[in-house]
Amino acid sequence: MSRIFSGIQPSGELHIGNYLGAVKNWARLQHEYDSIFCIVDYHAITIAYEPEQLRARRHSMAVSLLAAGLDPNVCSVFVQSQVPEHTELAWIFNTITPLGELERQTQFKEKSARQESVSAGILNYPVLQAADILLYRANLVPVGEDQVQHLELSRVCARRWNSLFGHRTGNKTEDGADEREQFFPEPEPLLTPTRRIMGLDGRAKMSKSMGNTIGLLESPEEIWNKLRPAVTDPKRIKKTDPGTPEVCNIYHLHKAFSPVATVEHVATQCTTAGWGCIDCKKVLADSIERELVPIRSRAAELAAKPKMIDDALSAGADRCRRLARDTMDAVRDRMGF
Ligand code: SF4
């Protein structure tokens, strides 16, 4: 069975962008692949943070993930820092990755542009991502189209390490060099069907740092208070102006949450000025509510049983530690340690 790996930052509760863009898909994939899902707390410390908050956010994220459908009896869910081999393999990949390659990463350019002082951790962030994936020799990584380029460094690390340290197979390559085993697979993207979820401002991707999210566990009132002023088709000024659904974020959220017949109705009402945006948003609020009610009630049950969460994370970490040790035993052997 092919193995998939994906990680999520412990940012506390999930928002609907995380849910639609990643976790809802993971809940389906866990039944089709050997699935490993990681709460990447080592990644979270590349910016300033409070230790107590990190602990609480890690726990809330675990609650949200299980409430949103990850089943620890089917997949492995664990916290990155409970498997220290992640950072060991990252160090090894750091030693074979040219500095210029890291400085050219889009992620680094974007993050460093937003901060006055940039830690080496931000520069090395994609190397740790590569280690996260390759530690489990995962073949596939579920990603959205906008994240495919982030996987490239993992593929390069695998290729470079294999060519330097993979055992010689005894065969020759086409150019006469010694062929090396492909110890680390070059992971392929497994494209997430949902398109990128934009924030309620309609301008940037939904993200906690942009303050444009709807939390998965927010109450109907909180959700409505955010939906009501959310940006729609900017050319639809009055109720009597026909709109263009494809340019409206609310319409795309309908596509994610509402039944097909409702989506068609939304498009008709919008293009014929049959209703106002508030009417449209009320229908969306109902659709969101239908999807989130069971998640919210599972989260409340899980939050009341913290030991169950800890046990699930421990079981996931135990399994991942075993896999990680096997990989690192082979890596150390091939590298002369
Ligand atoms: Fe968007 Fe709905 Fe308003 Fe059309 S009617 S612009 S789809 S919110």
Side-chain angles (χ1 to χ4, degrees), residues 149-302:
Q149 54 159 327
H150 299 161
L151 196 54
E152 190 50 29
L153 191 87
S154 303
R155 295 168 53 77
V156 169
C157 281
R159 202 176 311 141
R160 194 172 280 142
W161 190 94
N162 288 340
S163 75
L164 288 168
F165 301 111
H167 276 160
R168 288 183 175 84
T169 63
N171 300 323
K172 294 285 181 193
T173 62
E174 276 177 13
D175 49 11
D178 288 332
E179 187 186 74
R180 301 275 187 163
E181 66 171 340
Q182 300 301 296
F183 177 78
F184 286 117
E186 290 183 30
E188 298 283 344
L190 186 62
L191 282 182
T192 306
T194 310
R195 58 169 259 157
R196 186 161 101 128
I197 303 298
M198 299 300 283
L200 297 177
D201 53 9
R203 286 198 300 269
K205 185 177 169 176
M206 190 173 280
S207 138
K208 209 164 180 182
S209 62
M210 301 297 289
N212 61 7
T213 63
I214 289 179
L216 206 58
L217 306 182
E218 284 188 299
S219 69
E221 295 73 33
E222 287 168 315
I223 293 178
W224 178 244
N225 286 339
K226 289 180 169 183
L227 267 186
R228 195 162 27 93
V231 169
T232 61
D233 173 0
K235 291 198 175 136
R236 195 164 187 224
I237 315 284
K238 303 189 298 294
K239 200 171 169 176
T240 47
D241 294 335
T244 310
E246 282 303 330
V247 303
C248 176
N249 195 30
I250 298 298
Y251 177 65
H252 292 293
L253 289 173
H254 267 295
K255 279 186 172 171
F257 284 107
S258 298
V260 175
T262 306
V263 176
E264 286 168 3
H265 182 65
V266 168
T268 308
Q269 292 293 87
C270 179
T271 49
T272 59
W275 66 6
C277 291
I278 289 290
D279 306 311
C280 184
K281 288 173 177 178
K282 280 185 186 155
V283 175
L284 175 62
D286 289 344
S287 298
I288 293 178
E289 189 56 12
R290 258 195 307 280
E291 178 119 3
L292 299 195
V293 161
I295 295 176
R296 231 184 269 134
S297 94
R298 266 200 305 277
E301 280 169 35
L302 289 164

Side-chain angles (χ1 to χ4, degrees), residues 9 43 46-47 105-118 121-123 125-126 129:
Q9 286 243 12
H43 287 282
T46 51
I47 51 171
Q105 294 281 314
T106 328
Q107 266 176 313
F108 172 68
K109 286 187 195 158
E110 284 172 2
K111 286 183 183 170
S112 56
R114 290 205 295 264
Q115 292 172 37
E116 270 179 30
S117 161
V118 179
I122 295 214
L123 181 69
Y125 195 104
Q129 281 181 322

Side-chain angles (χ1 to χ4, degrees), residues 70-106:
L70 297 193
D71 180 348
N73 295 311
V74 175
C75 65
S76 300
V77 186
F78 76 107
V79 173
Q80 185 185 31
S81 59
Q82 293 185 357
V83 183
E85 284 82 356
H86 282 256
T87 45
E88 184 182 359
L89 188 58
W91 172 250
I92 284 169
F93 287 154
N94 268 319
T95 65
I96 59 169
T97 303
L99 183 59
E101 225 164 80
L102 295 180
E103 286 171 336
R104 282 195 297 276
Q105 294 281 314
T106 328

Side-chain angles (χ1 to χ4, degrees), residues 1-13:
M1 193 188 240
S2 292
R3 180 173 290 157
I4 61 172
F5 176 95
S6 201
I8 189 159
Q9 286 243 12
S11 53
E13 285 170 14

